[in-house]
Amino acid sequence: MAATSPQVDITAVEARLLDIVRELLRELGSHETARHVSLDSSFERDLGLGSLERVELLVRCETRFNCRLPDEVAQQAETPAEWVRVLLAGGETAAAESHPPSVERAHPAVERRSYRSRFQIQQPSREAPNAPADATNWIEVLRRHAEVEPDRVHIHLLEEDSGEDIRYGQLLERASEVAAGLVAKGLRPNDTVAIMLPTCADFFYAFFGVMLAGGIAVPIYPPARPDKIEEYVRRQVLILRNAEVRFLISFDKVRTVSQILRVSIPSLIETSSVGSLRQARARVAVEPSSTAFIQYTSGSTGDPKGVVLSQANVLANARGIGWAVKFRPTDVVVSWLPLYHDMGLIGSWLFSVYFGAPITILSPLAFLSRPERWLWALHDSRGTLCPAPNFAYELCARKIPERAIEGLDLSAWRVAINAGEAVLPETLARFEARFAPHGFRAQSFVPCYGLAESSVALTFPPLDRRPVIDCICRDEFEMEGKAQPTTPADSAALRFVANGAPLPDHEIKLVNTEGQKVAERVQGRILFRGLSRTAGYFHNPAATAAAIDRDGWMDSGDLGYWSNGELFVTGRSKDMIIKAGHNILPQEIEAAAGDVPGVRKGCVAAFGMRDAASGTERLVVVAETRATGREERGRVEIEVMRRVNAAVGTPPDKVVLVPPQTIPKTSSGKIRRNQTRLLLESGKLAAGNQPPWVQVMRLWAGNLGSWLGLEADRVGTWSSGAYASALLASVTRATRLLVSLAPGPDAAAAVVRVSARALLFLSGQRVTVGSYRAHIEAHVTYGGSPPPGAVFYANRAGALDPLILAAMIRRPFFFAEASALAGMPPQAAAMLRPLLPPPVEGISTPPGGTGRQRILRALEQGHSIVVLADSPASVPPRLSRFRLDGIHAAVSAGSDLYPIAIRGTSRVLRPNSPAATRAEARILIGNPVQPASDDQRELVELREAVRDAIAEMCR
């Protein structure tokens, strides 16, 4: 072949690529848009090509140009010009081949290249252990599996050409490191932590790390497109503000986004990566929050609603799914679903965690770019369980080249869950026909119904049967809401797929607009309740009250009817549009399109329309306009796409411009969306993002005030920390000098107590002392005197608790053991050593006497004793460990025993931390207890009673 100049080659590639784009647009019905295609056209903003359409474009380009393109190009390249650059850089024959675009030949390199990942999945060597049926939270589940089989492979994480195995012991260990890092940075129980990570090992460590630290995870999707960074940030800010997140776990590639979010969220105090959090060497033992995580519903975030899911909710749902699919110890799960979405997080991963099943996970990008990878993952792992939305099955049935699935075997796939959006009968038929030769059985299909408010799953049909398709009369259903059966031969019939019956311990009822139950085969609103049902929406009592009645029934917002004991879902009661799993309010779309010059405001209808070609709903916008010229109408169509995309995060699949007075309305002027859709279907309806750096600069400019305030706070906290550090060093040096000059142990102890009070006063910290019961208040208020010779048992809430107690308890006392000073800064610990009980003279074995003997001698001399928990400050009071020496000595001396609750001291006088801000802490002293016997069992029971009293006061 004769050589050609690079310029000629580039021109040829550009022309051929634009021809492919125009061809695709014309097939999708966007003839006007096809005329305006250029190398700089945005696929989404200008051309309306979403993820599915760009997969088709990828397949066509690889076939026409005889090369294989990087996976990322289909979802991340924004313009045809970017595709041209990739083609010239990576396509070996892209510029050299001279055959016309209409000729489709596969390049030999493509034919030989395997469509499977080179990472070979290891088969599980043994069956899964029994699920922990008595577990009350997910930490118990993880620990149980990690203890039983720490080396058992839990996750096969697939990448482009490699993979990673994650074992149960490894998951627990690394999640514990993340938890320690969060606690070290100041995470408090029930604090919310946003997890902004792609599908990667760090997500799993972060999710359980947050739970192990006592926090509440808020999974959010990571930014994927540099050209849409501004829109992404504005959306996530609304969610993160509603969630009041205090920490954000992110990754290095999106550091700019993390920094912008940091200054935009008032509650956010730290952004970290999993790697940085794992640097902490300490370990924590914190009781997990009763809330497992918060799931923000997909779609519009103008009024974000966070579904609060408890540990019990999610456990109940996982158990229910296991019952519905008849889980087997040999089952293997496969998933490409996003981990920030309920079906990927709960229905796939956490389900596999609970039952101990191995799971093969690939990223959504890997699936969307090469759908065959999902099927090969099922083949390689002998996968048996796998959920996916309807469009995924449609994508595989229509878009995978035959050469990409040669040798594929899907015979092990026994449960193919289809859920998350409307299940189309046509998709089920196409998938079965395409993959039956590869071992897939139609009896494997399991069309389900669920929603985030029910954790994920709500209904399941029986297993091992073909999907049940109900054919009903269109006119009777649309006019009266009655599902009257008709024959499959009826060309106008509506067809719905059976979604089964509720899970155990769950109920569904269908009601009309008056709240009364409807008869069988009559459409009604779907209400549900059960163990998986959320308690409500985070920080949104109005939305919670509107959705849940006093009997516990929650309105799903969906419509359906019963037939033969099964639910058939028919639509959404509020015209909600589902686009690729995203719920979109039509009102927002209509408002955005109505602002376009040339569109009649208030004369726009938006709705979802089932599309058999794509296997999902297509977002359609019908707008009235007076524009008549082709160029002017083209401009209006493109601007509608741009503004809708900016408003709701996805462009319309189709924009229909119609003359004035075309869209039907009610007598009060409201848009009739359903009637508009019906007219369009029947043919009776007449018919600019800036560069990423500009968006980033605009975001920084919009948050300049917040950034300045944040920097001022940072300077202030640094100054406070520096002052606290210098003050602590100065006071401790002076105290040690004075102690060395004191005439005896009692005088030295008095010097330490005075120095501790001075240190708190000079630092400006506020600590109050009070009683838990009024009748002992005279003994314990600030400035009063505790009873002499008493024993105090106290929990730990902060590293400097011994110093704070030394300042606040005015009566002479000793700490029971030197271990009480463990964990303090060395200079502070050295300062408090005079408050340790002196040795008992005359005892040589052990030297100075046992701990109980030293405590008893101090009590007999009129000193009080403080016994601090042996557990770290991060351990909840009810789990604190206490020694029996103090109780035993109190029995021998006849001393009273007092429980002390220390609260809020974790941020008092933290000299080496930027969080060394002014904090309020409180010390509560409970009712005295008089030990009656030195029987070992009674002493242990008394210790438990004291610990319970401390936990009650701390609560």
Side-chain angles (χ1 to χ4, degrees):
M1 179 180 295
T4 56
S5 70
Q7 182 60 44
V8 173
D9 293 339
I10 293 173
T11 302
V13 170
E14 292 174 343
R16 290 176 61 193
L17 179 62
L18 289 178
D19 284 341
I20 296 172
V21 175
R22 292 188 189 99
E23 176 188 279
L24 178 59
L25 287 169
R26 284 192 290 268
E27 290 180 12
L28 295 172
S30 299
H31 297 278
E32 191 68 32
T33 305
R35 297 189 182 98
H36 296 83
V37 174
S38 71
L39 289 171
D40 297 323
S41 297
S42 166
F43 285 118
E44 278 201 6
R45 184 184 67 243
D46 301 328
L47 308 181
L49 297 179
S51 298
L52 300 184
E53 292 82 7
R54 280 186 280 176
V55 171
E56 172 66 20
L57 190 62
L58 180 74
V59 173
R60 295 189 185 195
C61 283
E62 289 187 338
T63 301
R64 305 288 179 85
F65 286 101
N66 302 328
C67 66
R68 185 178 179 87
L69 300 176
D71 292 347
E72 295 77 10
V73 68
Q75 304 304 323
Q76 296 181 2
E78 173 60 14
T79 66
E82 294 178 44
W83 283 56
V84 169
R85 286 194 291 271
V86 174
L87 283 164
L88 292 171
E92 295 179 1
T93 61
E97 294 289 344
S98 59
H99 59 274
S102 60
V103 177
E104 297 189 4
R105 288 173 22 196
H107 190 268
V110 177
E111 292 285 1
R112 290 194 301 268
R113 194 185 194 282
S114 171
Y115 285 86
R116 300 157 61 178
S117 171
R118 291 205 293 266
F119 176 57
Q120 294 303 305
I121 300 171
Q122 298 296 318
Q123 293 295 315
S125 58
R126 51 193 174 275
E127 295 183 351
N130 293 331
D134 59 342
T136 59
N137 60 64
W138 285 94
I139 296 305
E140 291 180 27
V141 173
L142 177 59
R143 283 184 172 143
R144 190 82 57 86
H145 286 302
E147 289 169 0
V148 172
E149 291 190 84
D151 293 329
R152 179 181 175 84
V153 173
H154 167 45
I155 298 171
H156 302 292
L157 186 61
L158 297 187
E159 300 296 341
E160 165 66 18
D161 290 313
S162 62
E164 179 180 356
D165 281 348
I166 300 176
R167 291 165 169 76
Y168 278 101
Q170 173 187 345
L171 178 58
L172 177 60
E173 178 184 359
R174 296 188 180 178
S176 298
E177 294 170 351
V178 172
L182 287 169
V183 172
K185 289 179 178 294
L187 181 74
R188 302 170 303 195
N190 295 312
D191 277 350
T192 48
V193 182
I195 301 177
M196 187 177 72
L197 294 171
T199 299
C200 62
D202 282 353
F203 181 94
F204 309 110
Y205 306 145
F207 185 86
F208 270 118
V210 172
M211 202 177 286
L212 281 162
I216 301 172
V218 182
I220 61 174
Y221 66 94
R225 300 277 298 279
D227 62 301
K228 303 182 76 171
I229 188 171
E230 187 173 12
E231 172 192 337
Y232 173 85
V233 169
R234 297 192 189 283
R235 287 176 167 279
Q236 299 313 309
V237 163
L238 294 175
I239 288 178
L240 300 183
R241 283 179 177 171
N242 178 262
E244 294 186 353
V245 296
R246 286 173 50 79
F247 292 86
L248 170 66
I249 301 178
S250 184
F251 56 112
D252 289 340
K253 288 185 179 179
V254 294
R255 185 173 301 169
T256 299
V257 175
S258 300
Q259 292 171 342
I260 295 172
L261 291 174
R262 172 70 179 87
V263 302
S264 304
I265 314 298
S267 60
L268 188 59
I269 64 173
E270 182 82 23
T271 60
S272 303
S273 66
V274 166
S276 65
L277 290 171
R278 288 181 56 203
Q279 298 304 312
R281 293 290 176 254
R283 289 292 181 267
V284 296
V286 180
E287 188 172 3
S289 171
S290 60
T291 299
F293 64 96
I294 301 174
Q295 174 74 60
Y296 276 83
T297 53
S298 57
S300 168
T301 56
D303 181 21
K305 289 195 294 187
V307 179
V308 178
L309 296 176
S310 69
Q311 301 275 353
N313 289 152
V314 184
L315 281 170
N317 209 252
R319 289 166 179 149
I321 297 172
W323 172 87
V325 302
K326 295 180 172 56
F327 178 82
R328 303 171 182 174
T330 55
D331 275 329
V332 176
V333 184
V334 175
S335 176
W336 57 265
L337 297 167
L339 293 169
Y340 53 80
H341 191 270
D342 51 14
M343 195 154 64
L345 181 59
I346 304 173
S348 300
W349 176 46
L350 289 179
F351 167 82
S352 71
V353 172
Y354 180 78
F355 285 100
I359 181 171
T360 297
I361 293 180
L362 57 158
S363 72
L365 177 61
F367 164 72
L368 289 173
S369 301
R370 312 281 177 187
E372 61 271 14
R373 281 192 180 146
W374 174 36
L375 305 182
W376 279 113
L378 282 158
H379 170 106
D380 289 338
S381 65
R382 303 299 294 163
T384 60
L385 308 176
C386 186
N390 192 81
F391 86 86
Y393 294 97
E394 186 68 39
L395 189 63
C396 290
R398 285 183 174 270
K399 304 301 182 183
I400 297 178
E402 191 60 37
R403 65 180 180 275
I405 53 175
E406 292 176 359
L408 181 70
D409 180 7
L410 300 178
S411 59
W413 195 359
R414 70 178 188 88
V415 178
I417 293 174
N418 188 331
E421 61 179 357
V423 180
L424 300 186
E426 299 82 4
T427 296
L428 302 180
R430 275 192 286 270
F431 191 89
E432 178 194 358
R434 178 78 193 276
F435 294 102
H438 297 275
F440 182 81
R441 300 178 307 117
Q443 291 83 352
S444 298
F445 271 129
V446 181
C448 302
Y449 170 66
L451 63 166
E453 286 81 353
S454 183
S455 297
V456 61
L458 183 55
T459 71
F460 266 82
L463 296 184
D464 298 318
R465 75 169 192 190
R466 298 182 68 90
V468 172
I469 313 297
D470 194 26
C471 298
I472 63 173
C473 296
R474 177 185 294 272
D475 291 342
E476 192 166 354
F477 182 77
E478 292 177 348
M479 296 295 293
E480 302 179 26
K482 295 182 179 179
Q484 181 65 37
T486 186
T487 65
D490 183 356
S491 60
L494 291 173
R495 300 202 300 163
F496 295 106
V497 181
N499 295 122
L503 296 174
D505 299 314
H506 293 75
E507 300 175 85
I508 289 179
K509 70 176 180 179
L510 304 182
V511 300
N512 57 23
T513 53
E514 287 75 35
Q516 300 171 332
K517 282 188 178 181
V518 299
E520 178 141 327
R521 286 195 166 276
V522 174
Q523 181 175 249
R525 296 197 342 263
I526 301 174
L527 275 59
F528 72 96
R529 63 185 181 186
L531 297 181
S532 299
R533 197 216 72 195
T534 177
Y537 300 105
F538 192 70
H539 288 176
N540 199 334
T544 300
I548 304 175
D549 67 19
R550 54 187 168 185
D551 294 324
W553 292 101
M554 186 168 198
D555 193 338
S556 68
D558 292 322
L559 300 171
Y561 64 89
W562 286 113
S563 178
N564 296 323
E566 294 197 60
L567 179 69
F568 290 79
V569 180
T570 59
R572 287 159 297 283
S573 58
K574 295 183 179 180
D575 292 323
M576 191 74 76
I577 300 168
I578 295 182
K579 172 63 176 172
H582 291 267
N583 299 322
I584 306 170
L585 288 173
Q587 293 88 344
E588 288 189 305
I589 299 171
E590 291 159 0
D595 289 334
V596 174
V599 172
R600 301 182 70 223
K601 189 175 290 292
C603 299
V604 180
F607 45 84
M609 188 189 315
R610 286 188 178 186
D611 179 47
S614 65
T616 187
E617 278 196 342
R618 292 175 68 81
L619 171 56
V620 178
V621 175
V622 179
E624 294 184 358
T625 179
R626 293 187 175 87
T628 56
R630 189 170 68 178
E631 291 187 3
E632 185 181 9
R633 291 173 66 87
R635 178 193 60 76
V636 172
E637 182 179 338
I638 291 173
E639 187 66 6
V640 167
M641 286 187 173
R642 189 187 70 80
R643 296 208 183 189
V644 170
N645 183 49
V648 300
T650 186
D653 293 289
K654 189 174 185 179
V655 175
V656 180
L657 300 182
V658 296
Q661 310 300 325
T662 300
I663 296 175
K665 299 182 180 179
T666 65
S667 57
S668 59
K670 295 181 180 178
I671 298 292
R672 294 184 182 270
R673 299 187 188 92
N674 191 51
Q675 187 176 351
T676 305
R677 177 182 61 81
L678 294 174
L679 291 171
L680 181 63
E681 289 177 339
S682 63
K684 298 178 181 178
L685 186 69
N689 291 325
Q690 297 291 327
W693 70 269
V694 174
Q695 298 183 47
V696 171
M697 292 299 295
R698 191 157 50 207
L699 286 167
W700 277 115
N703 288 281
L704 181 59
S706 300
W707 180 79
L708 291 174
L710 185 66
E711 289 302 307
D713 290 343
R714 188 173 297 157
V715 171
T717 55
W718 178 85
S719 301
S720 175
Y723 173 72
S725 181
L727 179 65
L728 181 62
S730 300
V731 171
T732 53
R733 281 197 296 267
T735 301
R736 292 169 66 181
L737 175 62
L738 293 174
V739 164
S740 67
L741 300 175
D746 289 345
V751 168
V752 171
R753 290 194 295 273
V754 171
S755 297
R757 287 195 292 274
L759 182 59
L760 279 185
F761 174 79
L762 294 174
S763 68
Q765 305 288 345
R766 176 176 172 80
V767 181
T768 59
V769 181
S771 65
Y772 194 60
R773 296 289 183 264
H775 70 269
I776 63 169
E777 184 154 357
H779 296 295
V780 298
T781 53
Y782 185 81
S785 300
V791 177
F792 297 92
Y793 269 66
N795 65 296
R796 289 182 186 266
L800 293 176
D801 286 348
L803 190 149
I804 294 170
L805 290 172
M808 304 312 296
I809 298 180
R810 297 298 183 92
R811 189 75 178 178
F813 76 90
F814 291 114
F815 291 107
E817 298 285 347
S819 61
L821 309 183
M824 298 183 68
Q827 65 269 36
M831 168 182 163
L832 295 179
R833 288 198 177 278
L835 297 186
L836 296 177
V840 180
E841 297 180 1
I843 296 181
S844 58
T845 306
T850 64
R852 186 173 67 183
Q853 290 171 329
R854 291 195 296 271
I855 293 172
L856 181 60
R857 178 61 58 86
L859 292 173
E860 292 171 345
Q861 293 176 351
H863 293 88
S864 294
I865 293 293
V866 172
V867 180
L868 275 170
D870 285 343
S871 312
S874 60
V875 174
R878 76 177 187 86
L879 300 178
S880 295
R881 298 188 301 272
F882 292 102
R883 299 186 184 184
L884 287 174
D885 287 345
I887 296 177
H888 208 154
V891 172
S892 301
S895 300
D896 286 339
L897 190 65
Y898 285 85
I900 291 183
I902 305 176
R903 305 191 311 199
T905 59
S906 62
R907 298 185 65 192
V908 173
L909 270 173
R910 291 177 61 188
N912 296 318
S913 169
T917 56
R918 292 177 183 271
E920 292 192 8
R922 186 162 176 77
I923 297 173
L924 292 176
I925 303 182
N927 290 331
V929 178
Q930 175 63 55
S933 169
D934 62 355
D935 177 76
Q936 184 71 15
R937 176 178 297 179
E938 291 189 15
L939 293 178
V940 171
E941 291 178 352
L942 182 59
R943 178 176 62 184
E944 298 301 313
V946 169
R947 181 163 51 199
D948 290 344
I950 294 172
E952 173 66 23
M953 289 189 289
C954 286
R955 189 181 66 175

